[in-house]
Amino acid sequence: MKRCRNCHVTILDSTLVCPLCHSVLEGVKMPPEQPYGGEETKRSERPGMYPDVKAAARKLNFVVQLYTFLAIVIEAGLIVINYMTFRHIWWSAISGVAILYFYITLRYSIQKNSGYLRIILTQIICGALLAIVVDWIIGYRGWAVNFVVPSAILLIDLAVGILMLVNQTNWQSYILLQLLTVIFSITVLILWKTGVIVYPVVAFIAAAVSFVMFAGTLIFGDRRAKNELKRRFHV
């Protein structure tokens, strides 16, 4: 157990520097348990004690490894069953994509403890790609491109709007994601013009919402919005 002189916190794991100020830690002996608040308090619950974050990371890493192993075994079994009972549909590919989706969720959204924005963006994009793959496997009918992809853009717009309302002091940090939804919307409109999308109603709604949100942010955000774009693109 170590202690930081600057932050006055006790570190329970084996790190050599303070996770708060990065100063070199000094070793101390663990004092006997003392009553706190009228009850016997566990060592990890005392004031000034920094939690053993590495222990939680190790447990989560084991969960990811266990899931990876079971996913490979289960998917291999499903492929064999699909091959033995083949009826012109490789349904095992759908299960494989679903397993991959949950792996991405566990690995990049939970284990890495990413920010809310990155988690939302990753989940929505991966969900849309999953729908496209499923549509292609079961015999392409276009429902994923016509409805799921534009709906995903609308979900991103909704998420950005909520985050801007919640984080009003730093709302301009989401303008880059708004620009990304505009690019997605332009891509969807190109798919409509090329005949890939044949039911463009949802695509038109998604494009309109994305353009209006981005334009509104630029107009009402004025200098803060423009400075954010300059900072992002280094101009």
Side-chain angles (χ1 to χ4, degrees), residues 54 62 99 105 107 111 153 156 166 185 188 226:
K54 289 186 177 181
F62 173 75
I99 289 173
T105 300
R107 182 74 173 82
Q111 187 182 27
I153 296 174
I156 296 175
V166 172
S185 299
V188 168
K226 295 176 182 177

Side-chain angles (χ1 to χ4, degrees), residues 10-127:
T10 302
I11 313 299
L12 301 181
D13 55 31
S14 59
T15 186
L16 299 178
V17 296
C18 176
L20 302 178
C21 68
H22 304 289
S23 300
V24 178
L25 300 174
E26 60 181 10
V28 295
K29 292 183 179 181
M30 188 66 188
E33 294 187 356
Q34 299 292 334
Y36 176 69
E39 298 179 356
E40 284 293 314
T41 307
K42 295 181 180 179
R43 292 174 179 177
S44 60
E45 295 176 347
R46 293 179 185 176
M49 304 285 277
Y50 194 83
D52 187 357
V53 293
K54 289 186 177 181
R58 286 192 295 267
K59 291 179 181 179
L60 189 55
N61 186 55
F62 173 75
V63 171
V64 174
Q65 292 175 340
L66 179 62
Y67 175 84
T68 303
F69 172 75
L70 293 176
I72 293 173
V73 172
I74 292 173
E75 180 59 21
L78 293 175
I79 292 174
V80 172
I81 295 173
N82 193 178
Y83 176 78
M84 296 177 63
T85 61
F86 183 67
R87 296 293 185 271
H88 305 291
I89 295 180
W90 285 103
W91 51 263
S92 58
I94 298 176
S95 64
V97 175
I99 289 173
L100 178 62
Y101 174 78
F102 285 111
Y103 172 79
I104 293 174
T105 300
L106 187 62
R107 182 74 173 82
Y108 294 99
S109 297
I110 299 178
Q111 187 182 27
K112 286 186 177 296
N113 194 25
S114 304
Y116 291 117
L117 186 59
R118 183 172 297 181
I119 291 175
I120 292 172
L121 190 60
T122 301
Q123 296 299 116
I124 293 176
I125 292 177
C126 289

Side-chain angles (χ1 to χ4, degrees), residues 208-230:
V209 172
S210 298
F211 281 111
V212 168
M213 285 187 63
F214 184 67
T217 301
L218 287 180
I219 294 172
F220 293 103
D222 197 19
R223 183 174 297 179
R224 290 179 65 183
K226 295 176 182 177
N227 289 340
E228 180 68 15
L229 285 176
K230 291 179 180 179

Side-chain angles (χ1 to χ4, degrees), residues 135 140-147 187-200:
D135 188 11
Y140 181 76
R141 293 181 175 84
W143 54 267
V145 177
N146 282 278
F147 303 107
T187 304
V188 168
L189 293 178
I190 292 174
L191 293 177
W192 166 64
K193 291 295 291 184
T194 55
V196 177
I197 291 180
V198 294
Y199 300 102

